[in-house]
Amino acid sequence: MTTDPRSSAAGGLQGARCSGCSVTVYPADDTCPRCGGPADPAALQGTGTLWTWTVQRYAPKSPPYQVPPGGFEPFALGYVELAEGVRVAAVLDVDDLDAVRIGMPLSVTAGPGVPRARPTSLSEEGS
């Protein structure tokens, strides 16, 4: 059975940490992108804050995109800065695209395709 190199056995994010310069990366890689030294697997916390984001309001070109049965729905994409300092690109699973704010706390999970991020608290009022 093959596992996704982006997720750990526990379902969290699987990154790598360089043993030489201590840089952490996602997804995991055997080699450090900064110094070229060896990198060891590292489970990432998967929690962080929204660094930047945008809304995809138009359906991608087809193929390879396949329109879902309910039709295309706009969605948010963003970079989540994790506690380890890594920025992970993720689809933002939010109910209201207008409620998305830089700095909002998110939890990121890996799966098929692009990682997904969800708000970690429902108290997003009164910024």
Side-chain angles (χ1 to χ4, degrees):
M1 176 166 96
T2 305
T3 58
D4 188 335
R6 298 168 297 164
S7 60
S8 69
L13 297 177
Q14 181 64 52
R17 186 169 292 113
C18 177
S19 54
C21 70
S22 299
V23 71
T24 302
V25 297
Y26 177 84
D29 198 345
D30 294 335
T31 307
C32 175
R34 181 182 291 163
C35 72
D40 300 316
L44 305 177
Q45 288 184 19
T47 57
T49 57
L50 187 59
W51 186 70
T52 193
W53 63 283
T54 189
V55 174
Q56 175 69 38
R57 297 193 188 276
Y58 302 96
K61 291 185 179 183
S62 194
Y65 176 74
Q66 296 177 7
V67 179
F72 174 79
E73 293 283 334
F75 59 94
L77 297 165
Y79 277 99
V80 180
E81 187 166 30
L82 303 180
E84 295 86 355
V86 178
R87 292 181 186 140
V88 175
V91 172
L92 307 179
D93 291 327
V94 294
D95 294 329
D96 180 5
L97 296 175
D98 292 330
V100 177
R101 298 287 181 261
I102 290 175
M104 68 188 291
L106 297 167
S107 177
V108 183
T109 55
V114 177
R116 315 272 311 182
R118 296 181 185 278
T120 56
S121 70
L122 297 175
S123 58
E124 296 175 4
E125 51 195 56
S127 13

